[in-house]
Amino acid sequence: MTTARLSPGVWGVVATPFNGSTYDLDEGSLTRLVEHYERIGVTGLTVLGVFGEAAQLDTEERRSVLEAVVDTVELPLIVGATSLGTAPVIEEVRLAQEVVGDRLAGTMVQVNSNNPTVLAGHLKAVHEATGAGIVVQDYPLVSGVAINPESLVAALADLGFVVGVKAEAPPTTVAIATLTRELDVPVFGGLGGVGLLDELAAGSAGAMTGFSFPEGLLACVNAYRNGGYESAREAFLPYLSLVNFEQQVRIALAIRKECLRRRSLLLEGAVRPPAAPLPESLIDQLRRHVDAVQQHLAVSV
Amino acid sequence: MTTARLSPGVWGVVATPFNGSTYDLDEGSLTRLVEHYERIGVTGLTVLGVFGEAAQLDTEERRSVLEAVVDTVELPLIVGATSLGTAPVIEEVRLAQEVVGDRLAGTMVQVNSNNPTVLAGHLKAVHEATGAGIVVQDYPLVSGVAINPESLVAALADLGFVVGVKAEAPPTTVAIATLTRELDVPVFGGLGGVGLLDELAAGSAGAMTGFSFPEGLLACVNAYRNGGYESAREAFLPYLSLVNFEQQVRIALAIRKECLRRRSLLLEGAVRPPAAPLPESLIDQLRRHVDAVQQHLAVSV
Amino acid sequence: MTTARLSPGVWGVVATPFNGSTYDLDEGSLTRLVEHYERIGVTGLTVLGVFGEAAQLDTEERRSVLEAVVDTVELPLIVGATSLGTAPVIEEVRLAQEVVGDRLAGTMVQVNSNNPTVLAGHLKAVHEATGAGIVVQDYPLVSGVAINPESLVAALADLGFVVGVKAEAPPTTVAIATLTRELDVPVFGGLGGVGLLDELAAGSAGAMTGFSFPEGLLACVNAYRNGGYESAREAFLPYLSLVNFEQQVRIALAIRKECLRRRSLLLEGAVRPPAAPLPESLIDQLRRHVDAVQQHLAVSV
Amino acid sequence: MTTARLSPGVWGVVATPFNGSTYDLDEGSLTRLVEHYERIGVTGLTVLGVFGEAAQLDTEERRSVLEAVVDTVELPLIVGATSLGTAPVIEEVRLAQEVVGDRLAGTMVQVNSNNPTVLAGHLKAVHEATGAGIVVQDYPLVSGVAINPESLVAALADLGFVVGVKAEAPPTTVAIATLTRELDVPVFGGLGGVGLLDELAAGSAGAMTGFSFPEGLLACVNAYRNGGYESAREAFLPYLSLVNFEQQVRIALAIRKECLRRRSLLLEGAVRPPAAPLPESLIDQLRRHVDAVQQHLAVSV
């Protein structure tokens, strides 16, 4: 079981597509979406994350999602765990291992305590039971747990099986600067890319998020590597207004899925309740954003 | 599949006992605990609730807990669902139905939206998929969802399969007064019993909570039925200082399990991390509380 | 300017009475209320605290409240500061000093940072500008600032001008045990008295709160000193059900003022909006509580 | 006393500059800053707002800030009220009226209740006592009060003295679409401009915020009026990466003041504690952002 550090770059966070009327899993759209990710050259994929609505899926659906992705693309995969408790996380990791096998680049486990000793104990228990490499997700909006960067460093300092960190506790720039200075682990930003430029400047290894135009994340990260901050800024600005539009609290998921639908990557933009559907009042503006970005993409290719 | 309203009275919320060193399930203690509940005459039991640390158990452990309880006592059982999403709740309910069968008095489902239509849709979907009667738990501290009593009434007004409500959104007295006036469904208080007297006066059908001396809950509820408020107050006061001591935020679970251990109902008081263990500084005071209540119990029997 | 430590015992937190129709200050009721406090033998009074609705008063009203209290009773006074910023706190303290003079036992300043250095700097700046002794109030529900007991100890360790701490961050028992072990400063519980017994056992110097029957707080604290925990428990139980009823989130203020009105200590129970008025559905139960406690008081005197 | 609706456009939210060592008010920098605002052509200024650190100023300092601004520029002024209670808000408004006189375009009052009747009562009481036009600020992060757009519409529907709304409760696009459809009052976005493009598309009257390069806000709003969404997008993108960098939770104030200092508009970037100072790790990136925007400004003029 590998516990190699995650490769830098862009990890796409995969949406879980549903049919609009029944909310059943739409495997055709899922296949199309991950093929697109592979085609544009992402480093890997994150499946069953928050944006993948994993908390809305039952066990069989999770298995189906994993199977469809594994069968469709050759990319390395990170699989998210939804639970905060040690025993159910282990159960989730085992399912991922069973389906994904050697392709599992890591299992993403949420911070479940602001006490470094307790958090380290949780992560160790998960690793010891499964052998899996662990990507630690610090996302207080979802977990309800706020840990400061110093405590997170203390928790992770001696855990060789931690293969990456996803830093989603604002201000992420400060957290990433601390984590990358103190830990020898790649740290990725998320949150739809709203802070991507600053996170790269702070030392992040790239982006791990579900922005509907991952081409923009790739353009930015590649430009940063090759040309530094100014190049990255130039590459990312054409996407940034959509990034901000997408990353609106409570409705981000519905916006993103509708953007993906407009791109013909999904058949429908449905999100499972209780997540909010797309407000009618945003539809025109969403179209403007998608059109503008698509025009930019057409020109820049 | 029954969808009969819950019987009034005291429903004991069952702790899940663990071995102290390994945190493995301790079925012997579980058996002893539920036998005690049956012996003292509770109306029924709630298993796999928040206080049962259901969020810390994997599927096999949940099944084991249910099996042990079903095999030990004859009481009607409510089984809690931990998830907030419809599909995983249905999966949890099916497990409960498979193990508990006709003894399932209801499945306890958390409020997952403050939008009455969305909440009603969730509950309907769970019921339609399973046929189970549903106890709606309004516990914002755990669910993260705050709904006002009027919206909760609107959500539940036409749902004949709702067999009870557990009201744990303070101020519970106001909520219970509204719910019992507008709905023809029994409403139970929880929260360790801190508001039990006032909740009964507001129209509650009883208590559904895990207080370490359920004898006190029974004494109060029975006295209220037979002698009214003054009798209930007299019956409950000897327990109330321990009720308040137990119901301390973040450490309530550890306090309760240690009280149960002192009563010899559990072998050990261990709680699974990341829940906080019992602070050393409270041990002496916990002993004083338990001694005082036990003396009262010895005299009052 | 004295910076003597606060005397142990019961400090009454004074309500600010209003006329029901206009919400104007009702000085007659204020006078009656503080005379009652003096008559029953409290150690001192806290004026312009959270329960005194200080955040709803303008500068002239605050001055009028202070003047009325100073002119009516001989008790030592703590005056609360509402602001969290250093400069406006200093302005509030100066007003208190101007009106109260030598009778000022301390000014109550809220924790405004979870960083010990920043908090200590704030408290030092207030003291240096005014010379006043400071009572530190740790009340996260009101301040929005959560500090752990260890950080609070670190902040206060070297501040000789801190004359007391009011610990209102649950679990208060754990906080009080830590603070009294590490600091040579009297620590008082608040929160309406819901944890008074346990706070005394943890080392608190007494109660500083606005419970509508401060006789109960006095009976408990005096019994604890003279007879230990068992005596205190016996003395306090007859009040505890009303304590819990009063301390209901969002409506506590309205309940307390109505209880004070029923005791004829206030002419009216009005609270200034946006605080919630007393829900109709609680009126009967409030009456039952007040009657029961008054009967107990009549017997116990 | 005028209660004319606010003019559309960009209202600059004025920082309050301090000397770095003593945190004393730096009136020279304040003068320079508001002169700059006037020179670039903003519609008006908002003084003593959240970003003006009004909660950190005592009464004399607030008066000094207002006097300095009134004496320096001819622009219409909105003056913020910090309190949530009616009586202290009235006191704050009277101070503003006394100093600003006819130049007072409105007083900005925060939403203090999610109950439309209670909120309307608060606003009416403030207006009746002072005659002032009121700008309603919906900023739950600061006020602690969350109101949904429908309730806000209900509260404001019949209040002719409301001259504007500042919508800072995300998702602001949805709120602004609702408010502008239902109310005949100009609605402004804030939050540093992160949603400016989408807020304009949703019907906002412009921006009211403290972004360190208000030239960017002006360029965007003017382009929107003259050329529509596409022009606005083109005009704003060069600023958007700095907008996002600035608008980081907890450190936004320190970042902005340091940006203003780099622009030579302030002598120092000091923020009053307990606000966090600028993290060292962000200094280089801040410089990059400011350089990039200044280059853009030099070219675009």
Side-chain angles (χ1 to χ4, degrees):
Chain A
M1 189 62 57
T2 178
T3 56
R5 302 285 155 81
L6 295 181
S7 300
V10 173
W11 290 74
V13 174
V14 180
T16 302
F18 301 116
N19 291 313
S21 48
T22 61
Y23 298 116
D24 285 339
L25 193 59
D26 171 6
E27 292 198 17
S29 291
L30 179 58
T31 299
R32 199 158 46 245
L33 177 63
V34 298
E35 283 173 341
H36 177 79
Y37 267 122
E38 190 169 51
R39 190 165 50 242
I40 64 174
V42 298
T43 299
L45 295 177
T46 300
V47 191
L48 300 183
V50 171
F51 175 52
E53 296 174 72
Q56 300 297 326
L57 306 178
D58 65 26
T59 306
E60 279 317 298
E61 291 173 327
R62 294 180 192 201
R63 178 186 295 273
S64 299
V65 167
L66 293 177
E67 287 173 347
V69 174
V70 164
D71 291 350
T72 306
V73 294
E74 305 287 331
L75 294 165
L77 301 179
I78 297 168
V79 178
T82 295
S83 305
L84 295 179
T86 307
V89 167
I90 290 170
E91 185 177 0
E92 293 189 61
V93 174
R94 284 182 175 146
L95 174 66
Q97 292 177 312
E98 183 190 328
V99 180
V100 178
D102 286 350
R103 302 264 299 286
L104 189 66
T107 181
M108 190 151 68
V109 175
Q110 296 192 62
V111 169
N112 76 344
S113 172
N114 64 6
N115 178 320
T117 308
V118 174
L119 173 56
H122 174 58
L123 300 172
K124 273 183 213 166
V126 173
H127 174 69
E128 281 165 17
T130 65
I134 290 180
V135 182
V136 177
Q137 182 175 31
D138 178 20
Y139 196 178
L141 192 70
V142 168
S143 66
V145 179
I147 190 169
N148 61 44
E150 292 70 29
S151 296
L152 189 52
V153 164
L156 306 187
D158 299 323
L159 306 183
F161 56 80
V162 171
V163 301
V165 175
K166 190 175 184 202
E168 303 191 282
T172 54
T173 50
V174 180
I176 289 171
T178 302
L179 293 167
T180 55
R181 187 181 61 232
E182 303 291 338
L183 295 174
D184 185 25
V185 169
V187 181
F188 294 81
L191 299 179
V194 287
L196 176 56
L197 283 168
D198 303 316
E199 290 164 353
L200 288 167
S204 83
M208 188 183 294
T209 191
F211 179 48
S212 60
F213 283 83
E215 293 88 344
L217 306 173
L218 281 165
C220 179
V221 171
N222 291 335
Y224 188 78
R225 283 192 199 156
N226 301 325
Y229 172 71
E230 279 308 317
S231 298
R233 180 176 180 273
E234 193 176 342
F236 201 47
L237 285 185
Y239 299 91
L240 196 51
S241 56
L242 175 53
V243 165
N244 281 13
F245 179 74
E246 246 186 59
Q247 191 63 9
Q248 294 187 75
V249 66
R250 286 197 299 277
I251 51 176
L253 182 62
I255 297 176
R256 285 182 184 176
K257 287 182 108 170
E258 176 63 13
C259 289
L260 293 170
R261 192 194 68 77
R262 288 205 163 254
R263 299 194 67 184
S264 305
L265 294 172
L266 305 186
L267 267 183
E268 309 198 51
V271 298
R272 284 195 173 172
L278 185 68
E280 289 262 342
S281 58
L282 299 191
I283 291 176
D284 286 351
Q285 180 66 355
L286 185 149
R287 185 185 43 72
R288 281 184 211 110
H289 274 297
V290 170
D291 288 352
V293 170
Q294 280 181 324
Q295 281 173 30
H296 171 76
L297 255 183
V299 170
S300 64
V301 168
Chain B
M1 188 63 56
T2 179
T3 56
R5 301 286 154 81
L6 295 182
S7 299
V10 173
W11 290 75
V13 176
V14 180
T16 302
F18 301 117
N19 291 312
S21 48
T22 62
Y23 297 116
D24 285 339
L25 193 59
D26 171 7
E27 292 197 16
S29 291
L30 179 57
T31 299
R32 198 156 48 244
L33 177 63
V34 297
E35 283 173 340
H36 177 79
Y37 267 121
E38 191 169 51
R39 190 164 50 242
I40 65 174
V42 296
T43 298
L45 295 177
T46 299
V47 191
L48 300 183
V50 171
F51 175 52
E53 295 173 74
Q56 300 297 325
L57 305 178
D58 65 27
T59 306
E60 278 317 300
E61 291 173 326
R62 293 179 192 200
R63 179 186 292 273
S64 299
V65 166
L66 293 178
E67 287 173 347
V69 174
V70 164
D71 291 349
T72 305
V73 293
E74 305 288 330
L75 294 165
L77 301 179
I78 297 167
V79 178
T82 294
S83 304
L84 295 179
T86 307
V89 167
I90 291 169
E91 185 177 359
E92 294 188 62
V93 173
R94 285 183 173 144
L95 175 65
Q97 292 177 313
E98 184 191 327
V99 180
V100 177
D102 287 347
R103 302 263 299 287
L104 190 66
T107 180
M108 190 152 67
V109 175
Q110 297 192 59
V111 169
N112 77 343
S113 172
N114 63 7
N115 179 321
T117 309
V118 174
L119 174 56
H122 174 58
L123 300 172
K124 274 182 212 166
V126 173
H127 173 69
E128 281 164 18
T130 64
I134 290 180
V135 182
V136 177
Q137 183 175 32
D138 178 20
Y139 196 178
L141 192 71
V142 168
S143 66
V145 178
I147 191 169
N148 61 44
E150 292 71 28
S151 296
L152 189 52
V153 165
L156 306 187
D158 299 322
L159 306 184
F161 55 80
V162 171
V163 301
V165 175
K166 189 175 186 202
E168 304 191 283
T172 54
T173 50
V174 180
I176 289 170
T178 301
L179 293 167
T180 55
R181 189 180 60 232
E182 304 290 338
L183 295 174
D184 184 28
V185 169
V187 181
F188 293 82
L191 299 179
V194 287
L196 176 55
L197 283 168
D198 303 316
E199 291 164 352
L200 288 167
S204 83
M208 189 183 292
T209 193
F211 179 49
S212 61
F213 283 83
E215 292 88 344
L217 306 173
L218 281 165
C220 179
V221 171
N222 291 336
Y224 187 79
R225 282 190 201 160
N226 300 325
Y229 173 70
E230 279 307 316
S231 297
R233 181 177 180 272
E234 193 177 342
F236 202 47
L237 285 185
Y239 299 90
L240 196 51
S241 56
L242 175 53
V243 165
N244 281 14
F245 179 74
E246 246 186 60
Q247 191 63 9
Q248 294 187 74
V249 67
R250 286 198 298 278
I251 53 176
L253 182 63
I255 296 176
R256 285 182 184 176
K257 287 182 107 169
E258 176 63 13
C259 290
L260 292 170
R261 192 194 67 76
R262 288 205 163 254
R263 298 193 68 184
S264 304
L265 294 171
L266 305 187
L267 267 183
E268 309 199 50
V271 298
R272 284 196 172 171
L278 185 68
E280 289 262 342
S281 58
L282 299 190
I283 292 176
D284 286 352
Q285 179 66 355
L286 185 150
R287 186 184 44 69
R288 281 184 211 111
H289 274 297
V290 170
D291 289 353
V293 170
Q294 280 181 323
Q295 282 173 30
H296 171 75
L297 255 183
V299 170
S300 63
V301 168
Chain C
M1 188 62 56
T2 177
T3 56
R5 303 285 156 83
L6 295 181
S7 299
V10 173
W11 290 74
V13 175
V14 180
T16 301
F18 301 117
N19 291 314
S21 49
T22 62
Y23 298 117
D24 285 339
L25 193 60
D26 171 6
E27 292 199 16
S29 290
L30 179 57
T31 299
R32 197 156 49 246
L33 178 62
V34 297
E35 282 173 342
H36 178 79
Y37 266 123
E38 190 169 51
R39 189 164 51 243
I40 64 175
V42 297
T43 299
L45 295 177
T46 299
V47 191
L48 300 183
V50 170
F51 175 52
E53 294 174 73
Q56 299 298 325
L57 305 178
D58 65 26
T59 306
E60 279 317 299
E61 290 173 327
R62 293 180 192 200
R63 178 186 295 273
S64 299
V65 167
L66 293 178
E67 286 173 348
V69 174
V70 164
D71 291 350
T72 306
V73 293
E74 305 287 331
L75 294 165
L77 301 179
I78 297 167
V79 178
T82 295
S83 305
L84 295 179
T86 308
V89 167
I90 290 169
E91 185 178 359
E92 294 189 61
V93 174
R94 284 182 175 145
L95 174 65
Q97 292 177 312
E98 184 190 326
V99 181
V100 178
D102 286 349
R103 302 263 298 286
L104 190 66
T107 181
M108 189 150 67
V109 175
Q110 296 192 61
V111 169
N112 76 343
S113 172
N114 63 6
N115 179 320
T117 309
V118 174
L119 173 56
H122 174 58
L123 300 172
K124 274 184 212 166
V126 173
H127 174 70
E128 281 165 17
T130 64
I134 290 180
V135 182
V136 177
Q137 183 175 30
D138 178 20
Y139 196 178
L141 191 70
V142 168
S143 66
V145 178
I147 190 169
N148 61 45
E150 292 69 29
S151 296
L152 189 52
V153 164
L156 307 187
D158 299 322
L159 306 184
F161 56 81
V162 171
V163 302
V165 175
K166 189 174 185 203
E168 303 191 283
T172 55
T173 49
V174 180
I176 289 171
T178 302
L179 292 168
T180 55
R181 188 180 61 233
E182 303 291 337
L183 295 174
D184 185 25
V185 170
V187 181
F188 294 82
L191 299 179
V194 287
L196 177 55
L197 283 168
D198 303 316
E199 291 164 352
L200 288 167
S204 84
M208 187 182 295
T209 192
F211 179 48
S212 60
F213 283 83
E215 293 88 344
L217 306 173
L218 281 165
C220 179
V221 171
N222 291 335
Y224 187 79
R225 283 192 200 157
N226 300 325
Y229 173 71
E230 278 308 316
S231 298
R233 181 176 179 274
E234 193 177 342
F236 201 47
L237 285 185
Y239 299 91
L240 196 51
S241 56
L242 175 53
V243 165
N244 281 15
F245 180 73
E246 246 186 57
Q247 190 63 10
Q248 294 187 74
V249 66
R250 286 197 298 279
I251 52 175
L253 182 62
I255 296 176
R256 285 180 185 178
K257 287 182 108 170
E258 177 63 12
C259 290
L260 292 170
R261 192 193 68 77
R262 288 204 162 254
R263 299 194 67 184
S264 305
L265 293 171
L266 306 186
L267 266 183
E268 309 199 50
V271 299
R272 285 195 173 171
L278 185 68
E280 290 262 342
S281 58
L282 299 190
I283 291 177
D284 285 351
Q285 179 67 356
L286 185 149
R287 184 184 44 70
R288 281 184 212 110
H289 274 297
V290 170
D291 289 353
V293 170
Q294 279 181 323
Q295 281 173 30
H296 171 75
L297 256 183
V299 169
S300 65
V301 168
Chain D
M1 188 62 55
T2 178
T3 56
R5 302 285 155 82
L6 295 181
S7 301
V10 173
W11 291 74
V13 175
V14 181
T16 301
F18 301 116
N19 291 312
S21 48
T22 62
Y23 297 115
D24 285 339
L25 193 59
D26 171 7
E27 291 197 16
S29 291
L30 179 58
T31 299
R32 197 157 48 246
L33 177 62
V34 296
E35 282 174 340
H36 177 79
Y37 267 122
E38 190 170 50
R39 190 164 51 242
I40 64 175
V42 296
T43 299
L45 295 177
T46 299
V47 191
L48 300 182
V50 170
F51 175 52
E53 295 174 74
Q56 300 297 327
L57 305 178
D58 64 27
T59 306
E60 279 317 299
E61 291 172 327
R62 294 180 191 199
R63 178 185 294 273
S64 299
V65 166
L66 292 178
E67 287 173 347
V69 173
V70 164
D71 291 350
T72 305
V73 293
E74 305 288 331
L75 294 165
L77 302 179
I78 297 167
V79 178
T82 295
S83 304
L84 295 179
T86 308
V89 167
I90 290 170
E91 184 177 1
E92 293 188 62
V93 174
R94 285 183 173 144
L95 175 66
Q97 292 177 312
E98 183 190 327
V99 180
V100 177
D102 287 348
R103 302 263 298 287
L104 190 66
T107 180
M108 189 151 68
V109 175
Q110 297 192 60
V111 169
N112 77 343
S113 173
N114 63 6
N115 179 320
T117 309
V118 174
L119 173 56
H122 174 58
L123 299 172
K124 275 184 212 166
V126 172
H127 174 69
E128 281 165 17
T130 64
I134 291 181
V135 182
V136 177
Q137 182 176 31
D138 178 21
Y139 196 178
L141 192 70
V142 168
S143 66
V145 179
I147 191 170
N148 61 44
E150 292 71 28
S151 296
L152 189 53
V153 165
L156 306 187
D158 299 322
L159 306 184
F161 55 80
V162 170
V163 301
V165 175
K166 190 175 185 202
E168 304 191 282
T172 54
T173 51
V174 180
I176 289 171
T178 302
L179 293 167
T180 55
R181 187 179 61 232
E182 304 290 338
L183 295 175
D184 185 26
V185 169
V187 181
F188 293 82
L191 299 179
V194 287
L196 177 55
L197 283 168
D198 304 315
E199 291 163 352
L200 288 167
S204 83
M208 189 183 292
T209 193
F211 179 49
S212 61
F213 283 83
E215 293 88 344
L217 307 173
L218 282 165
C220 179
V221 172
N222 291 335
Y224 188 78
R225 283 190 200 159
N226 301 325
Y229 172 70
E230 278 307 317
S231 297
R233 182 177 179 273
E234 194 177 341
F236 201 46
L237 285 185
Y239 299 90
L240 196 51
S241 57
L242 175 53
V243 165
N244 281 13
F245 179 74
E246 247 185 57
Q247 191 62 9
Q248 295 186 74
V249 67
R250 287 197 298 278
I251 53 176
L253 182 63
I255 296 175
R256 285 181 184 177
K257 287 182 107 169
E258 176 63 13
C259 290
L260 292 170
R261 192 193 68 76
R262 288 205 162 253
R263 298 193 68 184
S264 304
L265 293 172
L266 306 186
L267 267 182
E268 309 198 50
V271 298
R272 284 195 173 173
L278 185 68
E280 290 261 343
S281 57
L282 298 190
I283 291 176
D284 285 352
Q285 179 67 354
L286 185 149
R287 185 183 44 69
R288 280 184 213 111
H289 274 297
V290 170
D291 289 354
V293 170
Q294 280 181 323
Q295 281 173 31
H296 171 75
L297 255 183
V299 170
S300 64
V301 168

